[in-house]
Amino acid sequence: MAKKGKEVYFNTPQRLTQLIGANTTVIVAGRRTGKTDSIAAPFVLRNMQRMVGSTGAIVVPTFKHGLTNTLPGLFAAWERWGFRKGIHYVVGRRPPKSFGKPITEPADWEHIVSFYNGSIAVIVSQDRPGSSNSLTLSWVLVDEAKFIDYQKLKDETLPANGGIKSYFGRHSYNHAIMILSDMPQTQKGSWFLHYKEKMDEELIETIKGTVYEIWKTKERIRRLRAENKPVPGYLRSYLRRLDTNLNKMRSVAVYYKEYSSIENLQLLGENYIKQMKRDLTPKTFQTSILCQRIGITKDGFYSSMREKHKYNDSDFDYLDSLGYDFDKSLLDSRADKDVNPLAPICIGMDYNANINWIVAGQANGRRLNVVKSFYTKFERKIPALIDDFCSYYTNHQNKTIVFYYDATALGSNYAVNDQDYHWVVMHEFQRHGWEVIDVYLGNPMRHDEKYLLINQGFAGKQRLMPFFNRQNNDDLILAVQSAGVTRGRNGFRKDKGGEKLEESEENLLEHRTDGTDAFDTLYIGCEKFPQSALSRISVGGIM
C-alpha cells in the first residue's frame, strides 16, 4: 500500500483497527488520533482495491465538512502512500477511459471518487437532499458521526448497503460499515455509542489470537524457505484454515473502541495536549481530546433549547463551483445560504481580557438565525476579532452592522488603547469600510429576566425564535447547551464562577459562558430593539 522502501507509521488504535478488520467498526477518538488520515483512509482504500468495481459511500454531515475535512484527510494519506490524484483516482468528473468501469455506473459523476480499477465512492452529504438515492453499496464510511442525523442515515443510506453478493460475498468486508467520531455532547449525537454493547469481546480476542497465529505460521514458512528447507503441506493447509476462520469471524464482528488523543502522544507531543487544554472549552476538551463521556445539562440556563434549534444551510451552487481543489480562503459567507447579502448583519459581543466574542445574526420573519460566531483568545484582541469577521463577510453586499451593546462596553478596554470597547468596535468596523448602527441596551438585563425572555424565545412565545447554524457555531452551541445555573438569595444566575478566577489551564475551561453572553446581547437586541433593514445611519458614531 505504501511506496516501496518507505515505512508508514500507525499508532496502536490505527494498527488494531486494521488487524481486527471487523465488518462493523466504531471508533470514538479524540482529535489528532488520525481517525480520517490513518483509520478511514486505509478502510476506503482496502475496499476500493479489493472489491474491484464496487460502489461505496462516504457519509458526512454536511457537504462543506466533506470538502474541508474528510476528503482532504483521505487524499493526503493516499498521496503519502503513493496514490496520485489524476493518475490513480479522480474526483468530481468522469474518469478517463483507461480506468476500469464500475459494476453499477452512476448517472452523474459530480460527487464521485473514481479509482483506477473501476471502484467508486459516492460522497453522501446529509444536508444535500437525494445524496443516497438509487445506490447499491458494498461499504459505508460515516465520518463525524456525532453530527449525523441517524434517522436519515437509517432510512436513506444504510438500506442501500446491501452490496452485490454475487461479486463480493466471499469478502468479510462486504457490507462493511465504519463509524468515526469524537465523543458526542448531546443525546441525539450519541446514537452510535450503543455499538459498545453489540461488541462480542471474546470474538474480538479470538480474532486477535488468530491474526497472531497466522503471523507465526507465515514466519515459520518464511524461515523454512530462507533455510532452503521444504515447507510441509500441513502448514499450508493450516494457514488456509486460519484464513477461512478469520474471514468468517470478521464478517460478523462488531468492534467498538474509545481512545483519547493521548494515544497519539508520540506524534502530537505534550505541548499539543497542553495547548488544547488551554485553548478549548471544558466540554470540547473533555470530549474532543480526552474522549470522555459527559452528562448533558438538562436544567441549565437555556433549558428550552432543543435539537430543532440547530440547522444546516449551505449554498451548494457556490460550493460546487469551488470543485475539490480549492483555496480554503474562498470558504467565506458565500457558502452560507442562510445569510441575506442585502440585509445588515446584527451582532452581540462580549469583552474579556482573555477572550472576545462576536455572535452574528439576521432576523428572517419570526426566526433569529445565528449565522456565525467568532472569538479570539489571549493576545488577539478586538481588532483581530473584527478583522476575522470582515474577512469572512468581505463579499457581503450590505456593509452595515447593527451593533447591540450594553453598559459593559463602556468605560473599560483591558488596555487595547485609551478608548473603551464601544469606541474600538465602531472604529474598527468603520476602518474596514462598514457602516455601524450602534444600539445601546442600557444596563445588562437581570439574569432571571434574561432567562425568562430567551427561554420563552426558544419555546416560541416571543416575537423571535433563535436558531443556530450548526456548521458556523460549534463552540457557541456547546456553550449554550452546557451553561449551568447557580441559585442564591437573589434568585438564580447563569453560572459564571469560572470567569472570576485567575486564568489557568484548569479554570480556563469555564470561560465558555463568555460566548453565551454575546448571544444573549444579540437576542435581547434583536427581540427588544429591532432596527429597520433600510437604516444606514450610525446612531452613536465615534466620539
Side-chain angles (χ1 to χ4, degrees), residues 153-164:
L153 180 75
K154 187 172 65 173
D155 292 345
E156 298 177 7
T157 307
L158 295 185
N161 190 24
I164 307 175

Side-chain angles (χ1 to χ4, degrees), residues 182-371:
D182 53 14
M183 189 60 71
Q185 299 143 354
T186 66
Q187 194 65 39
K188 186 174 182 180
S190 303
W191 61 270
F192 51 90
L193 298 183
H194 74 280
Y195 279 95
K196 184 175 184 178
E197 284 70 53
K198 294 185 176 183
M199 181 174 72
D200 184 337
E201 294 191 19
E202 186 176 342
L203 177 61
I204 297 300
E205 289 303 314
T206 305
I207 289 174
K208 291 179 183 178
T210 305
V211 169
Y212 179 62
E213 187 66 21
I214 289 173
W215 175 81
K216 281 202 310 180
T217 305
K218 288 182 176 179
E219 281 294 297
R220 186 177 175 187
I221 291 173
R222 278 192 288 266
R223 195 163 53 248
L224 288 170
R225 286 173 175 167
E227 296 171 356
N228 292 317
K229 294 180 180 179
V231 178
Y234 74 85
L235 278 183
R236 294 192 183 93
S237 176
Y238 181 51
L239 190 59
R240 286 194 296 271
R241 188 162 66 252
L242 286 173
D243 280 331
T244 300
N245 291 339
L246 179 63
N247 197 57
K248 289 179 180 178
M249 288 187 289
R250 283 173 165 170
S251 68
V252 296
V254 174
Y255 181 57
Y256 177 96
K257 197 69 176 176
E258 297 175 6
Y259 295 104
S260 80
S261 299
I262 296 172
E263 294 283 350
N264 209 19
L265 188 63
Q266 185 174 347
L267 287 184
L268 298 179
E270 291 184 22
N271 287 338
Y272 173 79
I273 304 299
K274 290 178 180 178
Q275 179 187 344
M276 291 299 99
K277 190 175 183 183
R278 184 194 73 180
D279 290 350
L280 295 179
T281 63
K283 289 194 175 180
T284 301
F285 184 77
Q286 283 180 272
T287 58
S288 296
I289 301 299
L290 299 182
C291 201
Q292 295 176 347
R293 298 193 184 203
I294 57 175
I296 307 301
T297 303
K298 297 180 179 179
D299 57 350
F301 193 80
Y302 303 93
S303 57
S304 295
M305 182 183 178
R306 298 290 183 266
E307 193 65 26
K308 68 179 183 180
H309 295 114
K310 308 170 198 172
Y311 67 93
N312 297 310
D313 199 4
S314 296
D315 189 322
F316 296 121
D317 290 338
Y318 178 72
L319 290 173
D320 287 343
S321 73
L322 298 178
Y324 290 93
D325 296 302
F326 69 94
D327 183 346
K328 287 191 178 181
S329 66
L330 297 174
L331 206 58
D332 53 32
S333 63
R334 289 172 291 181
D336 300 331
K337 198 171 183 180
D338 56 334
V339 176
N340 179 357
L342 302 178
I345 298 175
C346 302
I347 65 169
M349 297 184 66
D350 191 76
Y351 325 91
N352 191 289
N354 299 315
I355 183 170
N356 293 278
W357 280 82
I358 292 176
V359 176
Q362 287 184 326
N364 182 5
R366 293 200 62 195
R367 292 174 63 106
L368 173 61
N369 289 331
V370 181
V371 293

